[in-house]
Amino acid sequence: MFRSLYDWTMRQAARPRADRALAVVSFLESSVFPIPPDVMLIPMCLANRQRAFHYAFICTAASVIGGLFGYAIGYFLIETVGKWIIDLYGYAEKWHAFEAAYDEWGVWIILIKGLTPIPYKIVTIASGAAHFSLAVFIVASIVTRGIRFFLVAGLLRAYGEPIRDFIEKRLNILGVIFVVALIGGFVVVRYLF
């Protein structure tokens, strides 16, 4: 199952319009979409290691711009679209506690959660809902998203072929681990925050 998905993703990553698709996924993931851009970034970096930092830049820029969209949802539409997204990700019961923590630790929440697989869209929407400083939000988002995507791209650029061989030999087990990690991220969000 994972082999055909992996092969398809690698073919898509080598296509001329893959950059645009990566930008769209990165943008949407920061505000509404559940799948992280890593599912495209990693195979794109493996397919063309020389462009790894270019892909990281696309992810970072689109993610920050998408984060601004999430911020706007929280700022202007928290009672409608914002609450729907928060409910969708299981945050409804813990939203007030998150808001209180956000008032005290806002910049740290942005920096820490932006590096993790925990849905960044919750952070972007919360930032807008809390009317957190837009300038600080943008800078923190650039830093945290940049570190995350450039670190992945740098590792893949430096160690691409051994990592590619490792992935291809252990594709099924890595696919299962990825799915478990993705679901685990949502579980952590729902029950711990």
Side-chain angles (χ1 to χ4, degrees):
M1 175 177 100
F2 291 112
R3 170 58 59 190
S4 61
L5 181 60
Y6 175 81
D7 291 341
W8 180 85
T9 306
M10 290 299 282
R11 284 192 305 276
Q12 300 310 308
R15 292 198 172 174
R17 296 187 186 219
D19 290 17
R20 291 181 188 151
L22 179 63
V24 169
V25 169
S26 298
F27 174 88
L28 291 174
E29 185 268 339
S30 292
S31 51
V32 295
F33 193 60
I35 307 298
D38 305 73
V39 298
M40 289 191 71
L41 175 64
I42 292 169
M44 289 175 73
C45 289
L46 289 173
N48 189 347
R49 288 174 40 208
Q50 299 305 336
R51 294 183 52 108
F53 292 131
H54 171 75
Y55 299 141
F57 176 79
I58 289 171
C59 278
T60 302
S63 182
V64 172
I65 293 168
L68 291 172
F69 184 66
Y71 185 98
I73 289 171
Y75 195 93
F76 297 110
L77 302 172
I78 190 62
E79 295 301 321
T80 55
V81 177
K83 286 203 186 256
W84 176 77
I85 293 170
I86 290 163
D87 289 346
L88 183 68
Y89 288 93
Y91 254 102
E93 297 170 6
K94 300 173 184 174
W95 180 249
H96 293 294
F98 186 76
E99 281 182 310
Y102 206 89
D103 286 340
E104 187 174 348
W105 303 100
V107 72
W108 293 107
I109 291 172
I110 295 169
L111 290 170
I112 292 167
K113 295 211 183 300
L115 290 170
T116 68
I118 292 171
Y120 190 59
K121 64 202 68 36
I122 300 300
V123 172
T124 66
I125 292 169
S127 296
H131 294 229
F132 191 74
S133 165
L134 184 59
V136 174
F137 171 78
I138 291 170
V139 170
S141 293
I142 290 169
V143 168
T144 193
R145 300 310 264 179
I147 289 171
R148 177 178 170 190
F149 297 130
F150 276 90
L151 179 64
V152 168
L155 290 171
L156 292 170
R157 182 180 170 128
Y159 304 106
E161 289 310 313
I163 288 175
R164 184 177 186 158
D165 291 342
F166 177 83
I167 289 171
E168 289 180 354
K169 287 178 184 172
R170 295 160 185 87
L171 190 58
N172 285 334
I173 189 69
L174 292 173
V176 169
I177 290 170
F178 176 77
V179 169
V180 168
L182 185 63
I183 293 169
F186 288 110
V187 169
V188 166
V189 165
R190 180 161 178 89
Y191 296 107
L192 295 181
F193 296 99

